[in-house]
């Protein structure tokens, strides 16, 4: 889909759903990574992530457009256009627009968060840490005993 087709789609969605004209620009922005789209306050333009169409299809794209048009029309009218504003939330419900878009980027999840496990020599209390400690400098918070490195995990 080209930027011109996207602009025509935004105009038609604005007319059908909001019964108002869209008088600014709408285009794809490949640099958007985690968000489906964004409304630019200063220029009133709407940018859309092309991955929305590629990964989730036309229905999701129309949902993103409706969401950004909620920001657009409320901002133009001088009403609350931010996510936390009551005007915005009410318009989302009225137009059946999504609050969030589907995930676009798969995030790498670590298997284990803790790399190092220390144990107190006196009371055997365990401490899990991401960063290595200097065992000569730090002591057990419970009994002030010496800490001993028990395990050291290497993460990818």
């Amino acid at each position: 889909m080209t930027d011109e087709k996207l602009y025509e789609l935004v105009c038609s969605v604005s007319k059908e759903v909001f019964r108002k004209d869209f008088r600014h620009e709408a285009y794809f922005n490949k640099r958007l990574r985690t968000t489906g789209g964004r409304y630019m306050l200063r220029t009133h333009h709407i940018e859309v992530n092309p991955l929305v169409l590629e990964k989730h299809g036309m229905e999701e794209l129309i949902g993103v457009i409706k969401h950004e048009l909620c920001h657009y029309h409320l901002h133009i009218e001088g009403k609350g256009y931010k996510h936390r504003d009551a005007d915005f939330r009410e318009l989302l419900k009225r137009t059946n627009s999504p609050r969030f878009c589907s995930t676009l980027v798969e995030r790498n999840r670590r298997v284990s968060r803790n790399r190092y496990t220390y144990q107190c020599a006196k009371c055997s209390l365990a401490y899990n840490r991401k960063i290595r400690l200097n065992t000569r400098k730090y002591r057990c918070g419970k009994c002030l005993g010496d800490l001993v490195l028990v395990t050291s995990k290497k993460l990818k």
Side-chain angles (χ1 to χ4, degrees), residues 97-108:
S97 303
R99 181 119 190 263
F100 305 103
C101 78
S102 301
T103 54
L104 299 169
V105 180
E106 297 298 320
R107 294 187 178 180
N108 294 338

Side-chain angles (χ1 to χ4, degrees), residues 47-58:
E47 296 180 346
V48 177
N49 190 337
L51 288 176
V52 173
L53 183 61
E54 289 174 26
K55 287 194 172 187
H56 301 290
M58 187 60 85

Side-chain angles (χ1 to χ4, degrees), residues 126-148:
Y127 294 91
N128 294 314
R129 296 289 178 264
K130 289 182 186 176
I131 300 170
R132 195 175 175 110
L133 303 177
N134 181 354
T135 54
R136 286 183 243 150
K137 185 176 177 182
Y138 294 99
R139 299 188 149 306
C140 175
K142 184 177 175 186
C143 69
L144 298 177
D146 292 332
L147 295 178
V148 179

Side-chain angles (χ1 to χ4, degrees), residues 32-65:
L32 295 177
R33 292 277 174 234
T34 57
T35 185
R38 76 177 162 192
Y39 166 64
M40 310 299 283
L41 289 173
R42 289 189 180 141
T43 61
H44 305 293
H45 299 332
I46 291 178
E47 296 180 346
V48 177
N49 190 337
L51 288 176
V52 173
L53 183 61
E54 289 174 26
K55 287 194 172 187
H56 301 290
M58 187 60 85
E59 192 173 322
E60 183 76 20
L61 177 65
I62 291 171
V64 169
I65 290 169

